Amino acid sequence: MAKGIREREFQNLMIQWSLPMGWDFTAGRSLSRETTQTVIVGQLRDAIVRLNPGVIDGFDVHAVVEEIVATVNAVDGGLVRANEQVLHLLRGRKEFRDADGVWHALKVIDFEHPTTNTLVVSDEVTITVPGKTSRRFDLVYWVNGLPLVVIEVKSPTAKSAWAEAAREINNVYATEYPWFFTPNVFAVASDGLKLRFGAVGAPTNLWQPFRSTADDENLSGQADVQRSVQLLLNPATILDMLANFALFATSGGGADQKYLPRYPQMEAARLVHERVLEGGSKGLIWHHQGSGKTLLMVFAASLLLADPRTDSPTIILLSDRLHLVRQTSGKFTSAMGDAYFHQPATGGELRSLLADDVRGVISTTVHKFADAGKNLSTRANIIVLVDEAHRTQSTRSASLAGQMRAALPHAKFFGMTGTPVKNLATDTFALFGEETDPGRVLHRYSVSRSLLDETTVPVMLDPHPVSFEMNDQALQEEFDQFADDFDLDDPDREALSRKFGRLTSVFSNPDRIHAVCQHIVDHYLAGAYRNGLKAQVVTYNRELAVAYTDKINELLAGFERLRCSPRSGSMTGSPPR
């Protein structure tokens, strides 16, 4: 079947799937707009009048609409920054001055009742201006006359055809007509078999599927795409993402960045918010490593801070390592601003903040709760979001976690982890999980779903046994001789044997260290190094990490001397480090 027919057929399918969710279809050529216009002005004007009864009477509605359209069309600071300003306006946070000079925030969209907005889906929407090539968008989803979602469809004739659709949105449409994307919440690319959504301008590796953790993992092909349309293009989802989950940041003084949530982040953040409103005291979020738990904490915190029902809470973003604190703090302050944000430098500063009943966000490590004492703050609207919740969160009352809980006896605790632990010292499920939650887990994003979503890549295990032998009989004879020399009795012999007969004694044998490190260096130089790749070595403990480092450096130094020798052949390149 011809390429154009396939694409048009799929466009029609997406329209059919959208109609039951409250969208009305209007063909692009029949829209009440000029092809030069981004906004359907009549629909926007009607929405402003309808959504602001009793207030709008004091306004020149025509002037308000003109101001909004001018804001939409302004992209001087770059598309991402313009997108942030327009979404700020659409969230109802921009004030307009009435005829008496009084400022009012006006509603542009009804977020509480999504289907009461004017919802239109259109195909073949043309945009053009004099001197530019006209472009035609496959599908546009309009809310109150504003284009919130743009979709590009490709025929599934090539591998990753959806990625070509995403690149066309980024490199052609948004480049040539950036003002059409200033109201954009997200864009969608699909080839009929796969669907991905992302922020306009974001590289394709950041475009994500949108699914549900409650659905069958085996859903694929067109059925998977249909389900994604039902979930992602539901008016409630689009407006929820606009109101609560589209965050903006400036990365290291560089280009502006827009963050959109992955579907498990959105689900989990909502569940944390709901659990707090219901009066629950805890919850365990079990998400596979690399799924974005730091950003999940930021999304959850933003929901809690924005909701007046939480009564101005204190939210503690807790990590066990300083670099994680900096990572979380950077995401939070850049995405949401530094108002009401605190990062205490010492345990004393942390205690002062809590004792003084400070509200907002505190980003800190669990170690700063050492010697915090009991009942430092007895408020119930303190919410602790714990990153890497399987670490430092011991069940023992004398632990740092125990001291933290004693200091905050009525706080609510939510643990985020990819590897929950259950042993004699720690039970992540008991510490954070409600008994009424299935398996004591509030939300689960499994490794299998993560692989299916291509959020993470599979780890391929390639065993490389290193030949190493120890003479057990000779070792035993040496030990017996040592014990005899020091006249050890049987209990002392047994205790000493247990201590030095552990696995660590074998691991720390110098000959074995040399054999293992030689194998690592040979394997690295033969493969990863030649391909310009890096390598990571994991050891049993810190002492072995130091020993391996010294030995690997020694062996690499030998390789460098050989490489620089006139007899070493033609190998070139920088020495590995």
Side-chain angles (χ1 to χ4, degrees), residues 59-76:
F59 281 89
D60 179 345
V61 179
H62 179 73
V64 170
V65 171
E66 279 193 337
E67 186 174 348
I68 293 174
V69 171
T71 303
V72 167
N73 289 332
V75 289
D76 294 340

Side-chain angles (χ1 to χ4, degrees), residues 479-526:
F479 176 79
D480 291 339
Q481 184 61 51
F482 174 85
D484 290 341
D485 291 344
F486 285 89
D487 196 25
L488 299 180
D489 58 19
D490 288 343
D492 286 340
R493 286 172 182 258
E494 185 177 349
L496 193 62
S497 178
R498 283 200 304 271
K499 181 176 181 180
F500 291 100
R502 294 174 181 168
L503 198 57
T504 51
S505 299
V506 177
F507 284 168
S508 59
N509 182 282
D511 293 336
R512 184 183 186 279
I513 290 174
H514 180 89
V516 170
C517 289
Q518 184 67 65
H519 182 81
I520 290 172
V521 169
D522 291 344
H523 185 266
Y524 173 71
L525 294 178

Side-chain angles (χ1 to χ4, degrees), residues 160-437:
S160 298
W162 72 266
E164 180 59 33
R167 284 190 288 269
E168 191 164 333
I169 290 174
N170 286 339
N171 301 335
V172 179
Y173 301 149
T175 300
E176 296 180 359
Y177 293 93
W179 54 87
F180 197 87
F181 293 89
T182 60
N184 187 266
V185 181
F186 55 81
V188 175
S190 181
D191 56 16
L193 300 178
K194 284 187 177 182
L195 181 147
R196 298 291 184 269
F197 82 103
V200 173
T204 55
N205 66 300
L206 295 181
W207 289 50
Q208 298 286 329
F210 199 89
R211 297 177 168 124
S212 168
T213 55
D215 287 346
D216 185 355
E217 290 186 21
N218 296 317
L219 204 63
S220 63
Q222 191 177 102
D224 179 42
V225 172
Q226 180 177 0
R227 180 59 175 153
S228 296
V229 168
Q230 293 169 345
L231 292 166
L232 179 62
L233 298 178
N234 190 302
T237 302
I238 294 172
L239 297 188
D240 189 22
M241 204 172 292
L242 165 58
N244 303 297
F245 289 95
L247 301 180
F248 296 85
T250 301
S251 53
D256 289 337
Q257 210 171 349
K258 180 178 179 180
Y259 291 106
L260 291 175
R262 296 169 177 164
Y263 71 90
Q265 293 171 331
M266 202 170 181
E267 290 178 0
R270 275 288 171 210
L271 288 173
V272 170
H273 181 222
E274 291 168 9
R275 177 63 53 86
V276 170
L277 293 181
E278 292 167 355
S281 61
K282 58 183 180 177
L284 178 61
I285 311 298
W286 184 358
H287 282 195
H288 181 59
Q289 292 176 337
S291 59
K293 290 182 285 295
T294 298
L295 198 54
L296 163 58
M297 292 168 67
V298 175
F299 286 132
S302 66
L303 285 174
L304 293 165
L305 287 173
D307 194 333
R309 293 172 293 179
T310 58
D311 192 24
S312 298
T314 298
I315 300 174
I316 299 176
L317 306 180
L318 191 77
S319 302
D320 68 331
R321 298 179 182 178
L322 285 174
H323 82 274
L324 292 176
V325 170
R326 288 192 291 268
Q327 181 186 56
T328 306
S329 303
K331 282 277 192 347
F332 192 94
T333 55
S334 61
M336 302 184 62
D338 56 5
Y340 309 110
F341 184 85
H342 310 274
Q343 189 176 334
T346 66
E349 286 186 27
L350 173 63
R351 291 192 291 273
S352 296
L353 288 171
L354 292 171
D356 292 343
D357 226 17
V358 71
R359 307 303 170 100
V361 174
I362 299 174
S363 182
T364 188
T365 63
V366 69
H367 306 89
K368 289 187 173 64
F369 278 94
D371 303 319
K374 294 184 177 180
N375 300 325
L376 183 61
S377 178
T378 58
R379 282 195 294 116
N381 67 336
I382 295 177
I383 303 149
V384 186
L385 305 178
V386 183
D387 198 7
E388 303 295 348
H390 59 283
R391 295 203 294 249
T392 72
Q393 299 296 306
S394 171
T395 54
R396 300 190 182 107
S397 59
S399 68
L400 290 168
Q403 294 184 61
M404 175 180 63
R405 290 168 183 270
L408 309 172
H410 301 303
K412 306 177 193 304
F413 290 88
F414 294 88
M416 322 283 167
T417 181
T419 51
V421 176
K422 185 174 183 178
N423 55 36
L424 293 176
T426 302
D427 188 341
T428 314
F429 297 96
L431 275 172
F432 293 99
E434 285 280 9
E435 292 184 8
T436 54
D437 291 333

Side-chain angles (χ1 to χ4, degrees), residues 114-137:
T115 56
T116 63
N117 297 287
T118 302
L119 306 173
V120 175
V121 56
S122 300
D123 63 351
E124 305 298 318
V125 176
T126 300
I127 182 77
T128 185
V129 294
K132 280 183 176 285
T133 303
S134 63
R135 297 296 179 184
R136 185 175 294 170
F137 308 121

